[in-house]
Amino acid sequence: MYPPELIAILILLLVPVCAAVLLAVFKPDLVRNILVGITSVIIIGTSIFLAWKALLAPVSVTIENAEWIGILLFIVDLAIALVILGLSIKYRKILPLILSVIQLILIVRLELFGIDNHEVIQTFMVTNLSVVMVLIIGIIGTLICVYALGYMKDYHEHQIGVPVRKRYFFAVMFLFLSAMFGLVLSNNLMWILCAWEITTLCSFLLIGYSRTPEAVNNAFRAVWMNLIGGICFTLAITFLIRINSPVSLLSVNNLLHFPNVSVLTIPLAFIAVAGLTKAAQMPFSTWLTGAMVAPTPVSALLHSSTMVKAGVYLLVLFAPLFSQTWVGIFLALIGAFTFLVTSAMAISQSNAKKVLAYSTIANLGLITACAGIGTAESIMAAILLIIFHAVAKALLFLCVGAVEHKIGSRDIEDMDGLLVRLPLLATMMVIGICGMYLAPFGMLISKWVALEAFLTAPLGFVFVSILAFGSAFTIFFWTKWLGKLFMRMNRPPAEKIALHISEKISVIVMGVLVVGCCLGFPAIITGVIIPYLNTIRPYFYQSNNGLFFNDTLVMLGLMAVILLFLVIGAFLGSKEGRTIPPYLGGRAVDTEGRFLGSLGVYKEAKTSNYYLEEYCGEKALLKPSWVISGILIIVMLVLGFMGVMIWI
């Protein structure tokens, strides 16, 4: 009889796969709604149960005679490579074709000639870091799938030329959830690699959902960049099995406790590149901004809250090893540089999804920087950033998707007066934006912890400076957006617009989660993060550390007051409010707020934000950023091959 923890893990791995098969078979919307609802309830319940068991005691379980699983996953690896190979030939894409052939050769060689003597005894490990990811995937991921039920109806009403393939869409979404669970729960690097490749394939298929030329091109850009990451991951495993060790280094647990880190610098450098590609760090960021062409649930699930988190999850997982090497320092520099540059580029964007995309890349950069430094404080900051970013950014993506369908635009300049026109969505957007940057909400607390970690890191003054300037950029673009939501121009009366029930449930629950995480961060720190840090950095916990106790209580009260003030104010003010005519230096203004122009014609008074494209636009910053980040990656790989360690 299997223990309940193993049963829970198997449910999380297999139920989404079964749901994917059923969703691919049954066409009626009613059946799809029932299947998605039931599966979501099972996944959420099982995720919470497994998290509860793991928080009580770390879970480590083994499946006897698991060789057949390795063979099955090898077949899956081959199938993924062949699918990408076939589609590359069909669409005549040379680079993905070459990379998929290289990946195919590496995997076959590794499987047939490399891992015979590297059996991993513990097949699944659930640490507190895994718990965080399981809850993000299980709760946020399934809520996004529920949201998609209503969203996809509107999507096909607005996108007339796009073929209706909802069976395919939902099947791939749930297949992706299963892969993500496998990635964060497996203790075997070969299994993690397989899940890694499945997420790449799912992302590729979903970005190209509409089959427009733009979508196809962006999907192939995403796949070739992620194939580079997959190849680096495979090379890391290839180097690991060459290291003389009494235990298998394909086990994550064994690898983390390996005493001689100096012989691990080469695989660590390759793992770092793999993480950078999946997390869309410079110079690989364009696949994520291009992926915004996909339907919004895809952006929310894969490209904001879960798949890109797989990259930083891998980096945070191996952060204790990075902390001892210059590979880690250069990894941190790449992340910090990405944070700075993409925060600046977000200023130049008025497309809400692109702002969210650049903001996502920036925050992943900050998490990467924390993982590269690898101290206990920086790992804490990284985990907090993962949590707060996942909930707040998923909420914002869902709101933007719904708003786009209701007002016909995703341009921030068209969102003025949204509190009057769409009060629920606008209120939730206010909560999401506050959660991303406003003091003293979650992301800002995380940056504070990161700042403390950077102060004691090698080259700390560089990281602190970058964090300060990058954070200033984030304040710029978030404030512009928030101001637009509160602004009220003389718009036509709001139409009666109703959200689909699935959209409404998902958005409201996500908003509650953002508030709950902000209010509950002391419990998250003391109940989840510190126990995890004590397993990798013993004696980190200090009972007299005011950050987690006395100061926290004061901050908690302030947070609650600000939250209530903003949210209640936004919601109450959204009903009718006051209309104040614009002041235009004494020019005549009519009752609708229009002003009398020089030629005697009344014109609409409009205000708009600064976007500073000349200084912060993609044309100005993108190519120089590729060069700088490319040089940093090359230096990181060279240092990895030289085995340079940090002298303590």
Side-chain angles (χ1 to χ4, degrees), residues 136-373:
I136 289 173
I137 301 161
I139 298 176
I140 298 177
T142 49
L143 281 173
I144 293 170
C145 291
V146 171
Y147 167 91
L149 291 171
Y151 176 91
M152 291 307 289
K153 291 179 184 173
D154 284 343
Y155 177 84
H156 284 290
E157 289 174 5
H158 287 79
Q159 306 291 335
I160 304 298
V162 175
V164 179
R165 298 187 296 152
K166 287 194 276 189
R167 287 187 294 172
Y168 165 91
F169 179 85
F170 282 94
V172 179
M173 292 277 276
F174 275 93
L175 180 63
F176 168 80
L177 289 181
S178 176
M180 279 300 302
F181 281 125
L183 197 152
V184 301
L185 293 173
S186 298
N187 183 47
N188 188 327
L189 283 175
M190 289 299 295
W191 295 14
I192 294 176
L193 174 62
C194 181
W196 186 274
E197 297 296 355
I198 295 174
T199 61
T200 297
L201 179 65
C202 292
S203 172
F204 169 65
L205 296 174
L206 289 170
I207 293 171
Y209 175 78
S210 64
R211 291 180 175 170
T212 61
E214 182 187 13
V216 171
N217 286 333
N218 290 354
F220 274 104
R221 186 194 303 154
V223 83
W224 74 254
M225 287 189 178
N226 279 290
L227 276 172
I228 291 175
I231 290 170
C232 288
F233 200 145
T234 313
L235 288 173
I237 294 174
T238 305
F239 277 95
L240 281 174
I241 62 177
R242 292 173 179 271
I243 295 172
N244 186 21
S245 167
V247 295
S248 172
L249 293 184
L250 295 187
S251 160
V252 173
N253 193 38
N254 292 343
L255 190 55
L256 287 173
H257 293 91
F258 192 68
N260 187 8
V261 179
S262 63
V263 302
L264 299 177
T265 53
I266 298 175
L268 282 177
F270 281 120
I271 286 174
V273 177
L276 290 173
T277 56
K278 189 70 85 177
Q281 297 298 283
M282 285 288 177
F284 307 107
S285 62
T286 51
W287 78 258
L288 184 58
T289 51
M292 293 301 119
V293 71
T296 294
V298 178
S299 305
L301 178 62
L302 277 72
H303 308 131
S304 176
S305 41
T306 51
M307 179 177 144
V308 288
K309 294 293 188 304
V312 291
Y313 165 79
L314 193 72
L315 300 178
V316 174
L317 182 64
F318 293 115
L321 303 178
F322 285 125
S323 68
Q324 304 172 49
T325 69
W326 273 94
V327 169
I329 297 299
F330 272 79
L331 172 65
L333 283 173
I334 296 164
F337 177 72
T338 303
F339 172 67
L340 180 69
V341 173
T342 50
S343 296
M345 283 196 276
I347 292 174
S348 67
Q349 302 297 322
S350 64
N351 181 324
K353 282 185 75 172
K354 270 213 159 183
V355 172
L356 295 179
Y358 275 119
S359 166
T360 296
I361 298 167
N363 284 289
L364 294 173
L366 195 54
I367 297 169
T368 300
C370 293
I373 290 171

Side-chain angles (χ1 to χ4, degrees), residues 2-14 50 54 57-64 66 68-70 73 120-127 130 134 178-189 191-192 195 250-253 313:
Y2 288 148
E5 294 87 352
L6 180 55
I7 294 173
I9 291 171
L10 294 177
I11 289 174
L12 292 178
L13 293 174
L14 299 178
L50 183 62
V59 174
S60 174
V61 293
T62 302
I63 296 179
E64 300 294 336
W68 64 272
I69 298 179
L73 295 183
V120 178
I121 296 173
Q122 296 155 324
T123 45
F124 296 107
M125 293 278 292
V126 190
T127 64
S130 308
V134 164
S178 176
M180 279 300 302
F181 281 125
L183 197 152
V184 301
L185 293 173
S186 298
N187 183 47
N188 188 327
L189 283 175
W191 295 14
I192 294 176
L250 295 187
S251 160
V252 173
N253 193 38
Y313 165 79

Side-chain angles (χ1 to χ4, degrees), residues 559-573:
M559 181 186 302
V561 171
I562 293 178
L563 261 175
L564 286 173
F565 176 76
L566 275 174
V567 175
I568 293 175
F571 191 73
L572 292 180

Side-chain angles (χ1 to χ4, degrees), residues 71-125:
I71 296 170
L72 177 65
L73 295 183
F74 172 58
I75 295 170
V76 172
D77 277 330
L78 290 181
I80 293 169
L82 291 173
V83 168
I84 296 174
L85 192 65
L87 290 173
S88 301
I89 294 171
K90 178 181 176 182
Y91 287 95
R92 299 180 181 179
K93 300 290 183 182
I94 300 299
L95 189 54
L97 189 147
I98 295 171
L99 293 172
S100 57
V101 169
I102 294 172
Q103 177 71 333
L104 186 62
I105 294 170
L106 287 175
I107 288 177
V108 170
R109 183 178 179 278
L110 187 64
E111 196 71 38
L112 298 182
F113 307 108
I115 59 172
D116 287 345
N117 301 318
H118 291 270
E119 183 183 358
V120 178
I121 296 173
Q122 296 155 324
T123 45
F124 296 107
M125 293 278 292

Side-chain angles (χ1 to χ4, degrees), residues 328-453:
I329 297 299
F330 272 79
L331 172 65
L333 283 173
I334 296 164
F337 177 72
T338 303
F339 172 67
L340 180 69
V341 173
T342 50
S343 296
M345 283 196 276
I347 292 174
S348 67
Q349 302 297 322
S350 64
N351 181 324
K353 282 185 75 172
K354 270 213 159 183
V355 172
L356 295 179
Y358 275 119
S359 166
T360 296
I361 298 167
N363 284 289
L364 294 173
L366 195 54
I367 297 169
T368 300
C370 293
I373 290 171
T375 60
E377 292 85 356
S378 69
I379 294 173
M380 172 184 287
I383 298 174
L384 285 173
L385 285 164
I386 288 174
I387 296 169
F388 290 125
H389 179 264
V391 292
K393 197 54 72 65
L395 172 64
L396 285 171
F397 264 112
L398 299 192
C399 289
V400 167
V403 166
E404 182 185 0
H405 283 168
K406 304 310 174 192
I407 68 173
S409 171
R410 63 173 72 159
D411 196 308
I412 292 172
E413 292 301 315
D414 294 328
M415 294 184 184
D416 53 351
L418 209 61
L419 276 167
V420 176
R421 292 186 285 165
L422 296 167
L424 175 63
L425 288 175
T427 304
M428 290 299 150
M429 287 174 85
V430 169
I431 292 174
I433 292 174
C434 290
M436 286 303 299
Y437 89 109
L438 202 59
F441 292 87
M443 289 297 285
L444 201 81
I445 293 169
S446 308
K447 289 178 181 175
W448 171 31
V449 179
L451 184 65
E452 289 200 344

